[in-house]
Amino acid sequence: MSSGTKSSGGRVFLIGGGWEETVADVVHGPFLRAARAASEASGASGASGSGSAGSAPRVLCVIVDEGDGAEQFARYDVALRKAGDCTPVPVLVPVGERFEVGTVTEDVGGVFVCGGLTPAYQEAFAESSGPLSALLRERGLPYAGFSAGAAMAARDAVVGGWLVDGVAVCPPDTAEDLEELDVRPGLGLVPFGVDNHAAQWGTLGRLAAVVADGRLAHGVAIDENTLLEVGGEGGDGRARVAGLGRAHSVRPAPGGGVLVRSYGDGESFPVS
């Protein structure tokens, strides 16, 4: 593996949702640039097959298809192309079926897991989480997750729910078709749990509840139109925030309860 591939390997881009066009480059651009670097290092290419410098990287867009997968892909296709030169490739996984790691072919420069019903995404990746994570590391491919895709990046994924022992911890509309708060195995690409749409949907309370309950040692709730990048070029073990909103880091507080610290554009915090 070349040094160029290693520099892109392990990079994870977590997006808390949102479709604000004015920050498309801020939110999606870093992932696309990492995908381009991985493509050029490995010889993969978006259009020509040559892997030459400047070629558009092929980006897999994985969508759990609830019947409108083609329409959903069209939206991501527009957003990604607005952020940079790339060739988004749809991978539609019907609800109840499983994602196949073999779809990450040699000409792919990065994997972008889209949004939707988070429990359905967890089920789709349940059998391939280990192989996919290993493949991303081996080939130095960046991973981006949007909303549900961001939640799936965690080792322990917060997939939904709005109650803890019958007590409300967030609005019921954010429950992802679940009642009690549920944490399930994720892809293990980041060591903290992830929740999304924090400011817009009020999910910070859910994440605080799961940390207070001891099911997560660290969680991060991400606002919409906000990017959290983990594993950058420096490899310094920090997560960096960019975009319009904030990332809210939740950890157990000494003596009980939780400690919440919020970080905005240009700020960073330790991942562990």
Side-chain angles (χ1 to χ4, degrees):
M1 184 181 296
S2 71
S3 59
T5 303
K6 291 179 181 178
S7 70
S8 297
R11 296 180 70 181
V12 178
F13 302 85
L14 308 176
I15 303 155
W19 297 95
E20 176 54 56
E21 293 183 359
T22 61
V23 291
D25 178 64
V26 173
V27 172
H28 300 299
F31 164 70
L32 293 179
R33 289 188 283 275
R36 180 186 298 277
S39 293
E40 293 174 353
S42 66
S45 172
S48 66
S50 64
S52 59
S55 60
R58 289 172 58 85
V59 174
L60 285 193
C61 291
V62 184
I63 296 174
V64 173
D65 188 359
E66 301 178 55
D68 62 347
E71 293 84 353
Q72 291 298 322
F73 168 71
R75 197 175 191 188
Y76 290 102
D77 183 69
V78 169
L80 290 169
R81 291 181 188 273
K82 183 177 291 291
D85 191 20
C86 62
T87 303
V89 179
V91 177
L92 306 183
V93 182
V95 172
E97 297 190 13
R98 300 293 182 262
F99 172 77
E100 298 291 340
V101 176
T103 59
V104 188
T105 54
E106 290 293 333
D107 60 352
V108 167
V111 175
F112 188 104
V113 177
C114 302
L117 194 63
T118 306
Y121 275 81
Q122 194 277 333
E123 293 167 4
F125 283 96
E127 296 175 4
S128 60
S129 59
L132 176 60
S133 300
L135 179 64
L136 294 174
R137 289 192 298 268
E138 178 185 351
R139 289 178 45 191
L141 298 180
Y143 173 97
F146 182 99
S147 188
M152 282 306 305
R155 179 177 59 244
D156 301 301
V158 179
V159 297
W162 69 288
L163 304 172
V164 173
D165 297 330
V167 177
V169 294
C170 65
D173 289 346
T174 71
E176 306 269 11
D177 291 347
L178 300 174
E179 294 291 322
E180 286 287 319
L181 192 153
D182 199 1
V183 179
R184 303 178 187 174
L187 295 173
L189 302 175
V190 296
F192 49 81
V194 180
D195 215 328
N196 301 286
H197 312 281
Q200 292 75 21
W201 291 8
T203 55
L204 180 55
R206 177 167 61 196
L207 193 63
V210 76
V211 173
D213 197 40
R215 282 189 273 180
L216 286 178
H218 182 201
V220 181
I222 309 172
D223 292 347
E224 291 184 0
N225 301 304
T226 304
L227 168 69
L228 186 68
E229 179 181 350
V230 181
E233 297 289 346
D236 58 359
R238 299 186 69 82
R240 291 175 168 78
V241 183
L244 297 180
R246 305 182 70 83
H248 313 270
S249 172
V250 184
R251 302 177 190 267
V258 298
L259 178 63
V260 180
R261 291 180 174 168
S262 295
Y263 301 87
D265 183 56
E267 297 181 316
S268 68
F269 57 89
V271 299
S272 59

